[in-house]
Amino acid sequence: MEPKFRFRFIAAPADLAPYVNTLFVFETDEARLDDILPAYSAQMIAFGSGEARMQFAPGEVARSSPAFLVAPMQEAAPFAMAGPVRACGVSLTAEGWAAVAGLPVDKFGHRKMDAAEVLSRDLAEALEKAGADFAAGHIDAEAACEMLAGIVRKAVQPILPAHSEFIAAMIAWLGSSFSPDLPELLAKTGLSERQVQRLSKRYFGKPPARLVRRYRAIRAATFLSQPDLRQQYQDEVTGAFFDQAHMIREIRLFTGRTPNKLGTESSVTSDTLGPDGYGMIDLFGATTAA
């Protein structure tokens, strides 16, 4: 059976590594495609054809436009696409969102914004053109992503070096364990707990304790989606939660699926959960898996 969609990740150029997790193209010929996007990093997207609706909260539904951004997400969000869809985009790191959008995540996260609300008019138009050219077949996936990389380069306004260092320390801390200790983060950053809480909310949307929940669930889901996961690693994952009911609730909140649905079918969830799609932290750093 032909897959319902085609998701292709293209590595970002080395100079954009601090700002970009990955570049991607997405295509589907389906008249309607319903799926769920996990609590994902910020995205910059050009819809050359088709459209989508995403439900960020009960009664809060956003519609796609030819060029838009999705701010860093705080939990999973269901969406519906009307196809055929031809789209290309950028998955931004935490520093990438800060450098491109300059908007605090605790105030502007978990929402869709038209490109013109965030980017200059010229860059918003360039983003829309990349999607249109890709959908029309004038350029291939690599050329579309090269155009997107150029837009990011022009949009970036580097943040304070001290804040860049904080983001790097936070990412390393989140990837160090399923349940990292706050004192370790304080020692690593040399900041007070109040400063850490403030910067964590600004650049990640939530205080450290809430972020641990999110990334633990994403990491656990990534492992549990693997069909041949060794028992010792499965035990390590399940041991990170109070009990099975707790694990199911957390994974469903942040990925939109229960553990027994992971890896059983092709979905946007399964494609974005892996290292190629998620990329924001080392999802495998908290385990002894080779």
Side-chain angles (χ1 to χ4, degrees), residues 28 74 105 140 146 254-255 263:
T28 181
Q74 303 304 314
V105 180
D140 60 13
E146 185 175 341
F254 293 108
T255 73

Side-chain angles (χ1 to χ4, degrees), residues 77 90 132 160 231:
V90 182
L160 292 172
Q231 186 64 46

Side-chain angles (χ1 to χ4, degrees), residues 253-270:
L253 174 64
F254 293 108
T255 73
R257 281 178 163 76
T258 57
N260 64 359
K261 293 287 187 181
L262 296 168
T264 60
E265 56 188 8
S266 176
S267 67
V268 172
T269 301
S270 61

